[in-house]
Each structure stands twice: as C-alpha cells, then as structure tokens.
C-alpha cells in the first residue's frame, strides 16, 4: 500500500494535482486528486473471465464521480462494478 501511495503522490506532483486513477489488479485501485490519495482493496473473487474488468471499473468510478461522490466512494463503486463483472 505504501509503495502505491508513494507512486500516486509522484504522479500527482507530475500532473500538478490533476485527478489520477490506477487499477492494481487483485490489489484494488488507487486514486488521487490535489492533496488527497485513496486506496481501495478488492475482495477476492473467482473470475469467470477477465475481459471487460477495466471498462467496468471505469464505468463505476466515473458514474460515482458524476454523481458528486467522494474519491473514496468512487473507488468503492469502481472496484464493486469490476468485481461484479468478473463473476459473469
């Protein structure tokens, strides 16, 4: 977790605080904006298939952002939708 947070902080510095998101495979996802960094783990699931997981994450995350939810809540939405996608 600390390595991911340090990487996100470097990315935010490079991008001048602009919104940044990284998926971390089975570790979950991390996002940052300005001086905020949030890490979201993901509950293990036995995947039926891997195709579309990133797209599902993006859809869930962006939906939450457009609804005005926090960075942490947006990560929860993204990982939940990706996890659901892996089960179908």
């Amino acid at each position: 977790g600390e390595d991911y947070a340090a990487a996100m902080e470097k990315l935010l510095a490079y991008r001048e605080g602009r919104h940044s998101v990284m998926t971390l495979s089975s570790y979950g996802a991390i996002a940052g904006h300005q001086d905020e960094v949030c890490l979201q783990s993901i509950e293990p699931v036995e995947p039926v298939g891997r195709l579309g997981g990133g797209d599902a994450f993006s859809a869930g995350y962006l939906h939450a952002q457009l609804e005005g939810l926090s960075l942490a809540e947006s990560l929860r939405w993204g990982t939940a939708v990706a996890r659901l996608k892996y089960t179908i």
Side-chain angles (χ1 to χ4, degrees):
E2 290 180 25
D3 291 338
Y4 296 128
M8 178 55 71
E9 288 171 2
K10 287 180 182 177
L11 180 60
L12 286 172
Y14 176 77
R15 293 179 39 81
E16 300 174 345
R18 289 187 298 249
H19 204 119
S20 302
V21 180
M22 294 186 292
T23 57
L24 307 171
S25 187
S26 61
Y27 296 105
I30 190 167
H33 182 242
Q34 297 172 349
D35 61 352
E36 181 181 11
V37 173
C38 295
L39 178 65
Q40 175 65 46
S41 62
I42 189 168
E43 292 293 320
V45 63
E46 187 64 38
V48 174
R50 291 268 184 210
L51 293 177
D55 293 336
F57 172 86
S58 296
Y61 184 86
L62 291 172
H63 167 76
Q65 283 288 287
L66 291 171
E67 290 294 315
L69 299 178
S70 70
L71 202 59
E73 193 64 27
S74 297
L75 280 175
R76 283 191 280 278
W77 268 86
T79 55
V81 174
R83 186 175 186 276
L84 177 63
K85 165 40 193 107
Y86 288 140
T87 65
I88 57 174

